[in-house]
Amino acid sequence: MEKYPCPCCGCLTYPVPQKEAIAYICDVCYWENDLFIQSDDEPSDENHGLTLRQAQENYREIGACSVQMLPYVRQPSRDELPPTSQE
């Protein structure tokens, strides 16, 4: 089964392309896919006003899209790692 990258963490956790993943929540970073935002700097209603750019920075720094989501996230499995991260 093909997997698709999360727009926040880049891990291959989406079961369908991002444009089709309505309200899908990534298990790795806990970003909820928001089809209605038009740019990485637009606040996402699905993510409590967080922008995708802020969520990406948070993921790099703390391993979740926001501090509040830390209890829910998990490490990516080897087959979920973005292609550039796989060794």
Side-chain angles (χ1 to χ4, degrees):
M1 180 169 82
E2 187 170 2
K3 295 268 186 139
Y4 299 87
C6 167
C8 178
C9 65
C11 293
L12 303 175
T13 58
Y14 279 34
V16 294
Q18 180 186 352
K19 298 280 187 211
E20 299 172 23
I22 298 170
Y24 183 80
I25 297 174
C26 175
D27 292 338
V28 172
C29 68
Y30 230 71
W31 173 259
E32 184 171 349
N33 195 41
D34 188 343
L35 298 178
F36 300 104
I37 57 173
Q38 300 298 310
S39 78
D40 293 355
D41 294 312
E42 183 178 341
S44 167
D45 290 338
E46 303 293 335
N47 294 281
H48 310 286
L50 195 64
T51 69
L52 180 55
R53 191 172 317 279
Q54 290 169 322
Q56 290 167 334
E57 290 173 15
N58 288 342
Y59 180 73
R60 283 190 295 273
E61 291 178 18
I62 63 171
C65 68
S66 70
V67 171
Q68 295 84 352
M69 297 302 129
L70 275 171
Y72 309 106
V73 300
R74 64 170 174 77
Q75 292 294 313
S77 63
R78 184 161 179 77
D79 65 329
E80 292 174 327
L81 292 172
T84 57
S85 298
Q86 293 181 5
E87 304 271 330

